[in-house]
Amino acid sequence: TAIPYSDQRYKIAKMEKAMLDFLYINSHLQTSEDFSGLRINTRELLRKLDQRRWEQYLAAFGSQALAERAKAFVEFVSYDGL
């Protein structure tokens, strides 16, 4: 999404893409304990997360390791956000 500001336009990632980028870059995050240390508002994340968009971005990465981390993250968020 391009956001205008002054005389410039800035590209801002969708939340789902930003979260997957974060998980991709931080490959050491793999367990519930790791995820809980992020202090993410899981209820708000669940409310705003577009599951279809998440899956599309995840498929575009083409990474099995990321897919496994993303699955563990979603399970953590879903459990924690109840």
Side-chain angles (χ1 to χ4, degrees):
T1 305
I3 305 294
Y5 180 78
S6 293
D7 295 335
Q8 303 290 322
R9 293 183 65 78
Y10 297 93
K11 288 190 174 186
I12 306 294
K14 298 281 187 188
M15 178 189 66
E16 296 81 2
K17 176 69 165 70
M19 290 301 304
L20 288 168
D21 284 345
F22 183 80
L23 291 174
Y24 182 81
I25 291 167
N26 293 283
S27 59
H28 64 280
L29 300 172
Q30 300 196 17
T31 66
S32 293
E33 293 78 24
D34 297 335
F35 300 138
S36 68
L38 299 175
R39 299 182 56 159
I40 292 174
N41 183 334
T42 54
R43 288 179 192 234
E44 191 68 14
L45 182 73
L46 284 174
R47 189 176 73 77
K48 292 185 175 185
L49 183 77
D50 181 325
Q51 188 67 35
R52 190 173 132 256
R53 187 180 298 141
W54 174 270
E55 294 296 333
Q56 289 173 335
Y57 283 131
L58 185 56
F61 275 93
S63 168
Q64 184 61 39
L66 177 60
E68 290 170 11
R69 276 194 307 282
K71 180 181 178 192
F73 178 73
V74 168
E75 287 172 357
F76 165 76
V77 169
S78 297
Y79 176 76
D80 194 53
L82 294 178

